[in-house]
Amino acid sequence: MTETPRRVVRLWIAAPHLRLGAAAIDLLILYAIAWVTESSAELFNTRGDEVLAVLPGFLYFWLLHARWGQTVGKRIVGIMVVSPHTGLPPSLRSSAIRAGFSVGIPLIPMFGWLIGLIDKFHLFLNGRRQCYHDKFADTVVVLVPPKAATT
């Protein structure tokens, strides 16, 4: 029995400016989604419309990261979220942890914004450029590897 050779892909950690650019693009998309959701909830006099406005953001990050490792913003700037162990997009569980932390922390009364800011600032304090949501989910953000040449 012969063993199939493995293709080794070197992961290059994404620069902070790329992560911030992707975040800005994703925020624009999420503000539009939240506005539509919030407006719809108010139209129907639904209680808990703030939660309904946050749910699409959670689903956006959770499902896109788990499936492709990229949101729209990350795809545009050429970065992706991966497991540092496999180089593949994170599991549903890791993606849920990551999305829950990123979307849920700002909902904490009075201090949520500060915790979110500390989370993002941690990006500059370690070699893997991981925010706390990356550490908790065991993910890293890397440059998208080039496609393998086909012969």
Side-chain angles (χ1 to χ4, degrees), residues 8-36:
V8 176
V9 176
R10 185 169 183 98
L11 301 176
W12 297 96
I13 302 296
H17 73 278
L18 293 175
R19 289 187 71 166
L20 294 173
I25 294 166
D26 288 332
L27 278 176
L28 289 173
I29 293 168
L30 290 174
Y31 278 131
I33 293 170
W35 180 78
V36 169

Tab-separated table of all heavy atoms in Angstrom, residues 8-36:
chain	number	residue	atom	x	y	z
A	8	VAL	N	2.071	20.273	1.466
A	8	VAL	CA	2.292	21.144	2.609
A	8	VAL	C	2.066	22.583	2.152
A	8	VAL	O	2.626	23.028	1.165
A	8	VAL	CB	3.724	20.991	3.170
A	8	VAL	CG1	3.971	21.966	4.304
A	8	VAL	CG2	3.952	19.558	3.617
A	9	VAL	N	1.216	23.274	2.895
A	9	VAL	CA	0.922	24.670	2.585
A	9	VAL	C	1.431	25.515	3.739
A	9	VAL	O	1.110	25.256	4.896
A	9	VAL	CB	-0.601	24.899	2.415
A	9	VAL	CG1	-0.892	26.367	2.193
A	9	VAL	CG2	-1.120	24.071	1.269
A	10	ARG	N	2.252	26.474	3.431
A	10	ARG	CA	2.763	27.373	4.464
A	10	ARG	C	1.726	28.465	4.685
A	10	ARG	O	1.250	29.085	3.739
A	10	ARG	CB	4.083	27.971	4.030
A	10	ARG	CG	4.712	28.814	5.090
A	10	ARG	CD	6.143	29.153	4.691
A	10	ARG	NE	6.760	29.901	5.736
A	10	ARG	CZ	7.550	29.383	6.654
A	10	ARG	NH1	7.817	28.101	6.646
A	10	ARG	NH2	8.093	30.138	7.579
A	11	LEU	N	1.360	28.677	5.938
A	11	LEU	CA	0.372	29.688	6.281
A	11	LEU	C	1.076	30.986	6.676
A	11	LEU	O	1.940	30.981	7.543
A	11	LEU	CB	-0.503	29.198	7.446
A	11	LEU	CG	-1.274	27.913	7.203
A	11	LEU	CD1	-2.004	27.495	8.471
A	11	LEU	CD2	-2.244	28.077	6.065
A	12	TRP	N	0.707	32.059	6.034
A	12	TRP	CA	1.262	33.368	6.339
A	12	TRP	C	0.210	34.156	7.103
A	12	TRP	O	-0.876	34.403	6.593
A	12	TRP	CB	1.657	34.104	5.057
A	12	TRP	CG	2.731	33.379	4.305
A	12	TRP	CD1	2.571	32.517	3.261
A	12	TRP	CD2	4.130	33.421	4.570
A	12	TRP	NE1	3.777	32.027	2.857
A	12	TRP	CE2	4.767	32.561	3.633
A	12	TRP	CE3	4.907	34.095	5.502
A	12	TRP	CZ2	6.138	32.372	3.614
A	12	TRP	CZ3	6.285	33.897	5.469
A	12	TRP	CH2	6.885	33.051	4.539
A	13	ILE	N	0.545	34.547	8.310
A	13	ILE	CA	-0.378	35.291	9.171
A	13	ILE	C	-0.730	36.620	8.508
A	13	ILE	O	0.139	37.334	8.016
A	13	ILE	CB	0.248	35.529	10.566
A	13	ILE	CG1	0.624	34.198	11.230
A	13	ILE	CG2	-0.667	36.358	11.445
A	13	ILE	CD1	-0.533	33.293	11.538
A	14	ALA	N	-2.013	36.945	8.510
A	14	ALA	CA	-2.497	38.175	7.873
A	14	ALA	C	-2.077	39.410	8.666
A	14	ALA	O	-2.084	39.400	9.897
A	14	ALA	CB	-4.017	38.135	7.747
A	15	ALA	N	-1.725	40.447	7.959
A	15	ALA	CA	-1.339	41.712	8.579
A	15	ALA	C	-2.565	42.393	9.190
A	15	ALA	O	-3.682	42.241	8.682
A	15	ALA	CB	-0.697	42.627	7.534
A	16	PRO	N	-2.348	43.156	10.265
A	16	PRO	CA	-3.476	43.845	10.917
A	16	PRO	C	-4.276	44.746	9.980
A	16	PRO	O	-5.496	44.799	10.072
A	16	PRO	CB	-2.806	44.652	12.027
A	16	PRO	CG	-1.565	43.892	12.353
A	16	PRO	CD	-1.103	43.330	11.031
A	17	HIS	N	-3.613	45.442	9.062
A	17	HIS	CA	-4.366	46.345	8.182
A	17	HIS	C	-5.324	45.580	7.273
A	17	HIS	O	-6.387	46.085	6.928
A	17	HIS	CB	-3.421	47.256	7.379
A	17	HIS	CG	-2.680	46.574	6.274
A	17	HIS	ND1	-1.523	45.839	6.490
A	17	HIS	CD2	-2.935	46.497	4.952
A	17	HIS	CE1	-1.098	45.351	5.340
A	17	HIS	NE2	-1.933	45.744	4.389
A	18	LEU	N	-4.973	44.348	6.900
A	18	LEU	CA	-5.889	43.544	6.089
A	18	LEU	C	-7.102	43.108	6.907
A	18	LEU	O	-8.230	43.128	6.423
A	18	LEU	CB	-5.173	42.319	5.518
A	18	LEU	CG	-4.080	42.595	4.494
A	18	LEU	CD1	-3.359	41.308	4.107
A	18	LEU	CD2	-4.659	43.285	3.264
A	19	ARG	N	-6.855	42.730	8.168
A	19	ARG	CA	-7.961	42.341	9.038
A	19	ARG	C	-8.889	43.513	9.291
A	19	ARG	O	-10.113	43.362	9.281
A	19	ARG	CB	-7.428	41.799	10.364
A	19	ARG	CG	-6.761	40.449	10.212
A	19	ARG	CD	-6.393	39.854	11.528
A	19	ARG	NE	-7.589	39.440	12.255
A	19	ARG	CZ	-7.568	38.658	13.316
A	19	ARG	NH1	-6.431	38.187	13.777
A	19	ARG	NH2	-8.698	38.343	13.928
A	20	LEU	N	-8.315	44.692	9.501
A	20	LEU	CA	-9.140	45.879	9.748
A	20	LEU	C	-9.930	46.266	8.499
A	20	LEU	O	-11.091	46.662	8.589
A	20	LEU	CB	-8.267	47.037	10.229
A	20	LEU	CG	-7.610	46.827	11.596
A	20	LEU	CD1	-6.626	47.956	11.896
A	20	LEU	CD2	-8.644	46.708	12.687
A	21	GLY	N	-9.322	46.133	7.327
A	21	GLY	CA	-10.038	46.417	6.078
A	21	GLY	C	-11.200	45.468	5.873
A	21	GLY	O	-12.308	45.885	5.503
A	22	ALA	N	-10.966	44.176	6.125
A	22	ALA	CA	-12.037	43.189	5.996
A	22	ALA	C	-13.149	43.476	6.999
A	22	ALA	O	-14.335	43.377	6.672
A	22	ALA	CB	-11.480	41.780	6.213
A	23	ALA	N	-12.770	43.850	8.227
A	23	ALA	CA	-13.767	44.156	9.261
A	23	ALA	C	-14.619	45.353	8.855
A	23	ALA	O	-15.836	45.362	9.076
A	23	ALA	CB	-13.081	44.418	10.593
A	24	ALA	N	-14.002	46.366	8.240
A	24	ALA	CA	-14.752	47.547	7.806
A	24	ALA	C	-15.784	47.171	6.735
A	24	ALA	O	-16.936	47.614	6.784
A	24	ALA	CB	-13.799	48.612	7.275
A	25	ILE	N	-15.388	46.336	5.790
A	25	ILE	CA	-16.315	45.892	4.743
A	25	ILE	C	-17.460	45.091	5.356
A	25	ILE	O	-18.638	45.313	5.048
A	25	ILE	CB	-15.575	45.064	3.674
A	25	ILE	CG1	-14.587	45.954	2.918
A	25	ILE	CG2	-16.561	44.393	2.715
A	25	ILE	CD1	-13.579	45.196	2.071
A	26	ASP	N	-17.117	44.157	6.248
A	26	ASP	CA	-18.145	43.332	6.896
A	26	ASP	C	-19.086	44.179	7.750
A	26	ASP	O	-20.287	43.907	7.798
A	26	ASP	CB	-17.501	42.235	7.742
A	26	ASP	CG	-16.863	41.141	6.901
A	26	ASP	OD1	-17.334	40.924	5.762
A	26	ASP	OD2	-15.908	40.507	7.372
A	27	LEU	N	-18.556	45.199	8.414
A	27	LEU	CA	-19.420	46.071	9.218
A	27	LEU	C	-20.436	46.804	8.358
A	27	LEU	O	-21.586	46.946	8.757
A	27	LEU	CB	-18.588	47.071	10.020
A	27	LEU	CG	-18.002	46.535	11.312
A	27	LEU	CD1	-17.108	47.596	11.964
A	27	LEU	CD2	-19.086	46.100	12.271
A	28	LEU	N	-20.018	47.265	7.199
A	28	LEU	CA	-20.970	47.927	6.290
A	28	LEU	C	-22.088	46.976	5.892
A	28	LEU	O	-23.263	47.348	5.885
A	28	LEU	CB	-20.245	48.448	5.052
A	28	LEU	CG	-19.329	49.646	5.266
A	28	LEU	CD1	-18.547	49.947	3.979
A	28	LEU	CD2	-20.128	50.857	5.702
A	29	ILE	N	-21.722	45.752	5.582
A	29	ILE	CA	-22.724	44.742	5.206
A	29	ILE	C	-23.651	44.463	6.386
A	29	ILE	O	-24.877	44.414	6.243
A	29	ILE	CB	-22.036	43.449	4.719
A	29	ILE	CG1	-21.310	43.717	3.398
A	29	ILE	CG2	-23.032	42.302	4.592
A	29	ILE	CD1	-20.362	42.623	2.973
A	30	LEU	N	-23.064	44.292	7.575
A	30	LEU	CA	-23.865	43.960	8.757
A	30	LEU	C	-24.758	45.119	9.198
A	30	LEU	O	-25.864	44.891	9.680
A	30	LEU	CB	-22.963	43.509	9.900
A	30	LEU	CG	-22.324	42.148	9.668
A	30	LEU	CD1	-21.334	41.829	10.775
A	30	LEU	CD2	-23.373	41.062	9.560
A	31	TYR	N	-24.298	46.351	9.040
A	31	TYR	CA	-25.159	47.494	9.364
A	31	TYR	C	-26.389	47.503	8.461
A	31	TYR	O	-27.501	47.771	8.914
A	31	TYR	CB	-24.411	48.824	9.245
A	31	TYR	CG	-23.590	49.169	10.460
A	31	TYR	CD1	-22.271	49.558	10.334
A	31	TYR	CD2	-24.138	49.120	11.744
A	31	TYR	CE1	-21.514	49.873	11.444
A	31	TYR	CE2	-23.386	49.428	12.857
A	31	TYR	CZ	-22.075	49.807	12.703
A	31	TYR	OH	-21.328	50.115	13.808
A	32	ALA	N	-26.196	47.201	7.193
A	32	ALA	CA	-27.333	47.155	6.273
A	32	ALA	C	-28.295	46.034	6.666
A	32	ALA	O	-29.517	46.234	6.713
A	32	ALA	CB	-26.841	46.959	4.837
A	33	ILE	N	-27.759	44.863	6.977
A	33	ILE	CA	-28.603	43.735	7.389
A	33	ILE	C	-29.324	44.061	8.695
A	33	ILE	O	-30.521	43.805	8.836
A	33	ILE	CB	-27.761	42.449	7.525
A	33	ILE	CG1	-27.255	42.013	6.153
A	33	ILE	CG2	-28.570	41.340	8.195
A	33	ILE	CD1	-26.216	40.898	6.202
A	34	ALA	N	-28.600	44.633	9.667
A	34	ALA	CA	-29.201	44.963	10.962
A	34	ALA	C	-30.290	46.021	10.804
A	34	ALA	O	-31.333	45.950	11.464
A	34	ALA	CB	-28.134	45.452	11.935
A	35	TRP	N	-30.072	46.986	9.918
A	35	TRP	CA	-31.076	48.032	9.708
A	35	TRP	C	-32.361	47.426	9.160
A	35	TRP	O	-33.455	47.733	9.627
A	35	TRP	CB	-30.532	49.108	8.766
A	35	TRP	CG	-31.514	50.193	8.529
A	35	TRP	CD1	-31.817	51.234	9.363
A	35	TRP	CD2	-32.347	50.332	7.379
A	35	TRP	NE1	-32.792	52.018	8.802
A	35	TRP	CE2	-33.145	51.480	7.573
A	35	TRP	CE3	-32.501	49.602	6.211
A	35	TRP	CZ2	-34.073	51.917	6.641
A	35	TRP	CZ3	-33.425	50.039	5.278
A	35	TRP	CH2	-34.195	51.179	5.506
A	36	VAL	N	-32.225	46.540	8.172
A	36	VAL	CA	-33.407	45.892	7.596
A	36	VAL	C	-34.107	45.035	8.649
A	36	VAL	O	-35.334	45.074	8.790
A	36	VAL	CB	-33.018	45.039	6.360
A	36	VAL	CG1	-34.164	44.146	5.918
A	36	VAL	CG2	-32.563	45.938	5.228
